[in-house]
Amino acid sequence: MITADAERSAAIILSGRFHLDHPVDRVRSAVLRATAHGVYEARLNGRAVSEAVLSPGWSSYEWRLPVSSDPVEHLLRAENTIEVLLGNGWWRGDLGFADAKVRYGDDLGFIAEIEIAYADGTTQRIVTDERWTAWTSDVVSNDLYNGQRIDARLRQGRDALAVREVAFDRATLVPRVGPAITRQGLLRPTRTFISPSGVTLVDFGQNLVGWVRLRARGARGAAVMLRHAEALDEGELAIRPLRSAEATDVFVLSGGDDEFEPTLTFHGFRYVEVTGYPRAITSDDLEAIVVHSDLRRTGRFSCSSDLVNRLVENSVWSQRGNFLSLPTDCPQRDERLGWTGDIAVYAATACTQFDVADFLHDWLLDLAAETAHADGRAVPAVVPDVLKFGPGGGPHLMRDLPTAIWGDAAVWVPQALWHAYGDRDRLAEHYPAMTLHLESVIAQLSPTGLWDRGFQWGDWLDPDAPPEDPGRAKADAGLVATACLVRSADFAAEAARILGHEEDRIRWENLAADTRAAFMRRFVDASSARLTSDAPTSYALAIVFGVLEGEALLEAGDRLAQLVRDSGFVVTTGFAGTPYVTWALSETGHVDEAYRLLLQTECPSWLYPVTMGATTIWERWDSMLPDGSINPGEMTSFNHYALGAVVDWLYQVVAGIRPASPGYARLRLAPTPGPGLDWASATLETPAGVVESGWERRDGIIHVRVVVPHGVEAEVALPDGTARRVDGGVRHFTCADPVTQDVARC
């Protein structure tokens, strides 16, 4: 691995020259294999070797440093020059929050080889070594949180730097599994205007993740500054939610025609404040470049409510922005970490909207590595685990003790992938981390068999909690954790059965049964059949996670429905309960309450942010208050996908597309009409083929249409309770409308 010494904040250029051993027309294939400590962009003979940016992305660098392999035979000449722009990225980017200033190392580094195969069977290898040269670049500073400074005057007359080798552990090199980060499109400004303070603001109409490409011509040495934010506060750029992240790019003009694109950083933003531009800025002068991991869209949902359709698109946009190398919590402030709890509750939704098989598999390999090397063998709160580097990243208990939901990501994310894709080999790769998680939890159980000891996040961000204390929830944290353990033990037993681990299967089944019994003894009031923690999240988890059975299950559903009605159909659940509350209602026969909860527009609700102009999912129900001001809480992101987990329910219940076997090898299509919608439909690309399911209400009759891939067996469960067995093709059914029937009975 090679590097060159320059200012710590600056990016450098590394360059190598080589000539071919044989004529270009004798080249059969050529591949560039490369990775870096930092992030790099490689060009061969002046052309980019791939569409990737911010390579190699972020991973648990101590154990996994992904190596990209890109074909380059089409770029070769007799004499060749490869140039690599090398920046800080996540390697020494002062990661974390609360001034943690985490970094993996002090030296940047780049390692590569070009392997060329000729028609005569010979090969040629070009490698990075001290014979390469190095230069200063026009990137004066680059930081993921703070932004990038580019000085166009430095594009001519670069200074030479001394190249040296950097020692590193070659055992960390692994083939890249996850998709590359790429440009995914561009957005033009929807309006440009002057703020009350007199500065120029640009609105792109959509909260996005990426950067701004700018064109300018002005006096040599003049600086144009772009500040980014997601929202406005009293007509000005709302920078308080960014905390310490500066999110600012500065472009210094050369005196000629300049174009700037800050590809060594990224921002979460909708609005940009522009100062120093040499004339009145227009929409032709700049454009927003959307950046995220290269994921293929697989799911589409639509219905008769424009607000719900916008909610689904908000979830899509939040997934795009936060699936940048790994699943992060938010893309804008001084955090952007791989919080395990967020993806634990969102993984099923993620699988409906995009093909995330490789993306989440790659992240789970990091989770396994971090857990295996953790002192307490507990799943970290964030993966990659930067909290372990310094006290500023969080208290000791967040790193060494297992926590429900966050730690359960080791089980729930593989569970979502198994149901969506049915890949047994990958399930086997994920299984060891499941067992590590369960072992760490068992060590923390109280003598009663409950998971009610140690630190827990609980029902984080309960909407009734004060902004300054987001952990003060109505639901008992021990109840939440114990219910989560039932779910995790149940799926671990299923995974053990699938993988042929018979002793494990018995052990995890016993753990699930014992935990279920302990839950019933402690949290179910025998006299009233109510839970001792009489909160919507408590009932939602106990129902959906299979803790309750029989009459207790039905009574819990009735009580949950009553609590939802008593609340006026606003959301009263926090981070733990919200992804499951509509599921709990519909699975216990309370479809009407689930629909009314979904369609509520008063705060807190899923649709309140939509009525306030949201184009992504918010961290808080009221990240923006009804008067248009920003929530005073320290954590106020406008791009947090977790609360968008309700979209999975829209696909599986409202539209009715469910896997009856892993990977959709068999289907259960059960479209479920409810009050407030006239029609709903979804399309999903599955490993078995494209599936469609939907319904429409016309004149008291429900019309159901499904499309089943050929060779796939499907059970179609109609809203009137009847069922049909069908094979491939398009099928139409009709039945009485259960909503109008219920009205008639009333």
Side-chain angles (χ1 to χ4, degrees):
M1 183 172 284
I2 61 172
T3 191
D5 294 324
E7 292 293 328
R8 183 184 179 277
S9 60
I12 61 174
I13 294 173
L14 299 169
S15 180
R17 296 178 180 273
F18 63 95
H19 67 271
L20 297 185
D21 289 348
H22 299 288
V24 173
D25 61 5
R26 304 302 294 165
V27 173
R28 187 175 62 193
S29 65
V31 61
L32 169 67
R33 301 184 184 93
T35 191
H37 286 170
V39 293
Y40 75 91
E41 297 173 14
R43 304 180 75 83
L44 183 57
N45 297 321
R47 296 172 60 189
V49 301
S50 76
E51 295 180 353
V53 294
L54 296 168
S55 292
W58 191 12
S59 61
S60 296
Y61 293 136
E62 306 99 315
W63 306 289
R64 299 183 66 249
L65 185 60
V67 177
S68 297
S69 296
D70 296 303
V72 294
E73 58 268 13
H74 60 294
L75 302 177
L76 290 174
R77 303 172 184 168
E79 299 292 333
N80 300 274
T81 300
I82 180 171
E83 286 196 342
V84 176
L85 178 66
L86 184 62
N88 291 319
W90 294 270
W91 179 258
R92 60 178 193 188
D94 291 340
L95 303 173
F97 49 88
D99 295 321
K101 301 300 182 186
V102 171
R103 62 188 66 113
Y104 287 89
D106 292 327
D107 288 326
L108 298 181
F110 177 72
I111 185 170
E113 70 170 13
I114 300 176
E115 184 175 9
I116 305 169
Y118 294 101
D120 64 0
T122 61
T123 59
Q124 179 182 1
R125 291 177 69 246
I126 296 91
V127 299
T128 45
D129 56 30
E130 289 183 325
R131 292 173 293 180
W132 280 46
T133 56
W135 309 88
T136 57
S137 76
D138 62 351
V139 179
V140 177
S141 64
N142 67 109
D143 184 271
L144 295 183
Y145 292 170
N146 295 331
Q148 189 167 334
R149 184 182 181 95
I150 303 174
D151 191 335
R153 297 172 299 177
L154 303 179
R155 291 172 177 172
Q156 304 295 327
R158 300 177 302 184
D159 295 330
L161 302 171
V163 173
R164 60 183 175 88
E165 292 191 1
V166 179
F168 81 106
D169 184 0
R170 286 180 174 269
T172 62
L173 299 177
V174 296
R176 192 186 77 203
V177 175
I181 304 167
T182 60
R183 298 174 182 85
Q184 294 290 324
L186 62 86
L187 295 178
R188 296 286 185 181
T190 57
R191 64 178 178 135
T192 301
F193 57 101
I194 304 300
S195 77
S197 67
V199 298
T200 299
L201 294 175
V202 178
D203 180 4
F204 287 98
Q206 170 66 52
N207 198 13
L208 63 103
V209 175
W211 49 69
V212 169
R213 182 190 292 150
L214 179 79
R215 289 168 290 275
R217 181 182 181 89
R220 181 177 177 84
V224 180
M225 184 172 72
L226 276 62
R227 288 204 304 174
H228 306 73
E230 297 181 298
L232 300 178
D233 191 4
E234 297 184 353
E236 304 291 347
L237 204 66
I239 60 173
R240 181 178 58 80
L242 302 177
R243 300 194 301 217
S244 67
E246 295 177 7
T248 300
D249 296 327
V250 178
F251 305 137
V252 180
L253 306 184
S254 69
D257 291 321
D258 295 319
E259 181 170 295
F260 300 91
E261 187 172 355
T263 59
L264 300 181
T265 188
F266 66 87
H267 311 291
F269 67 99
R270 172 175 171 171
Y271 300 94
V272 175
E273 178 188 285
V274 182
T275 56
Y277 199 76
R279 54 181 172 80
I281 200 163
T282 72
S283 60
D284 294 329
D285 298 322
L286 74 174
E287 57 213 6
I289 307 300
V290 180
V291 176
H292 57 79
S293 290
D294 191 12
L295 304 174
R296 180 173 57 88
R297 181 85 179 265
T298 54
R300 305 276 177 177
F301 176 92
S302 59
C303 67
S304 57
S305 167
D306 290 339
L307 294 178
V308 173
N309 292 337
R310 182 67 245 188
L311 171 69
V312 173
E313 283 306 299
N314 289 358
S315 177
V316 167
W317 274 98
S318 279
Q319 184 173 345
R320 282 174 170 162
N322 282 293
F323 276 39
L324 194 155
S325 187
L326 54 94
T328 57
D329 59 328
C330 61
Q332 72 297 99
R333 67 185 180 220
D334 57 349
E335 195 165 346
R336 315 184 197 188
L337 304 179
W339 286 94
T340 47
D342 294 62
I343 191 59
V345 301
Y346 190 77
T349 294
C351 292
T352 64
Q353 298 184 149
F354 293 89
D355 180 354
V356 294
D358 292 342
F359 179 88
L360 289 180
H361 173 64
D362 184 44
W363 181 77
L364 283 168
L365 296 178
D366 282 331
L367 181 147
E370 296 281 9
T371 305
H373 289 87
D375 290 341
R377 296 295 190 269
V379 176
V382 298
V383 172
D385 182 14
V386 296
L387 302 187
K388 64 176 179 277
F389 286 115
H396 181 76
L397 48 80
M398 285 171 55
R399 300 194 298 273
D400 297 337
L401 296 177
T403 54
I405 302 178
W406 280 255
D408 289 308
V411 183
W412 298 1
V413 178
Q415 182 180 28
L417 293 178
W418 172 246
H419 289 159
Y421 306 110
D423 191 324
R424 186 182 183 279
D425 291 339
R426 287 189 168 178
L427 181 65
E429 289 188 74
H430 304 149
Y431 182 74
M434 295 187 207
T435 64
L436 283 176
H437 170 59
L438 290 176
E439 294 286 6
S440 71
V441 174
I442 290 171
Q444 291 297 313
L445 296 182
S446 68
T448 61
L450 298 171
W451 190 5
D452 58 358
R453 299 194 299 188
F455 171 78
Q456 293 292 346
W457 299 95
D459 197 23
W460 185 252
L461 283 175
D462 182 319
D464 294 321
E468 69 279 4
D469 189 5
R472 191 190 300 175
K474 298 183 292 294
D476 182 280
L479 181 152
V480 170
T482 303
C484 291
L485 178 57
V486 172
R487 174 183 173 181
S488 288
D490 272 341
F491 183 70
E494 180 183 347
R497 177 188 59 77
I498 294 164
L499 299 173
H501 304 317
E502 187 61 17
E503 291 185 5
D504 280 6
R505 178 191 65 80
I506 295 171
R507 186 183 183 204
W508 304 138
E509 285 180 351
N510 289 339
L511 175 61
D514 292 345
T515 307
R516 203 175 272 113
F519 183 102
M520 297 294 291
R521 288 192 299 268
R522 169 63 180 84
F523 295 118
V524 178
D525 186 327
S527 62
S528 67
R530 289 186 180 180
L531 298 182
T532 56
S533 177
D534 190 37
T537 286
S538 304
Y539 291 102
L541 300 188
I543 292 168
V544 176
F545 292 175
V547 181
L548 304 177
E549 299 173 338
E551 190 64 26
L553 177 66
L554 297 178
E555 290 178 352
D558 290 344
R559 178 56 181 163
L560 174 60
Q562 183 62 52
L563 290 173
V564 169
R565 290 192 294 268
D566 290 347
S567 72
F569 299 97
V570 297
V571 171
T572 57
T573 48
F575 190 93
T578 298
Y580 309 106
V581 63
T582 51
W583 275 101
L585 290 167
S586 61
E587 294 299 286
T588 55
H590 300 283
V591 173
D592 286 10
E593 286 83 357
Y595 264 78
R596 292 189 65 180
L597 187 62
L598 169 73
L599 297 174
Q600 174 65 263
T601 56
E602 297 298 318
C603 186
S605 68
W606 283 286
L607 298 185
Y608 164 74
V610 178
T611 67
M612 295 296 290
T615 61
T616 42
I617 301 296
W618 294 353
E619 180 175 21
R620 297 176 181 268
W621 302 110
D622 57 350
S623 286
M624 181 176 288
L625 303 180
D627 64 2
S629 62
I630 307 300
N631 188 297
E634 180 187 356
M635 300 185 313
T636 306
S637 160
F638 291 89
N639 196 349
H640 246 75
Y641 57 69
L643 296 180
V646 70
V647 171
D648 174 53
W649 181 78
L650 294 176
Y651 275 86
Q652 293 205 48
V653 177
V654 175
I657 301 177
R658 303 194 195 189
S661 294
Y664 296 85
R666 291 187 303 113
L667 295 169
R668 175 174 170 79
L669 303 178
T672 308
L677 295 183
D678 296 324
W679 61 269
S681 179
T683 300
L684 184 63
E685 295 181 33
T686 76
V690 177
V691 180
E692 296 182 33
S693 179
W695 58 271
E696 183 179 6
R697 175 180 291 116
R698 297 200 303 266
D699 300 325
I701 301 295
I702 296 295
H703 297 258
V704 172
R705 179 183 182 273
V706 300
V707 178
V708 179
H710 290 288
V712 175
E713 181 184 278
E715 178 188 53
V716 180
L718 298 176
D720 65 358
T722 62
R724 305 285 192 276
R725 294 279 182 181
V726 302
D727 51 15
V730 181
R731 297 288 187 273
H732 296 269
F733 305 94
T734 59
C735 67
D737 184 349
V739 173
T740 56
Q741 282 189 328
D742 289 343
V743 171
R745 282 195 290 269
C746 291

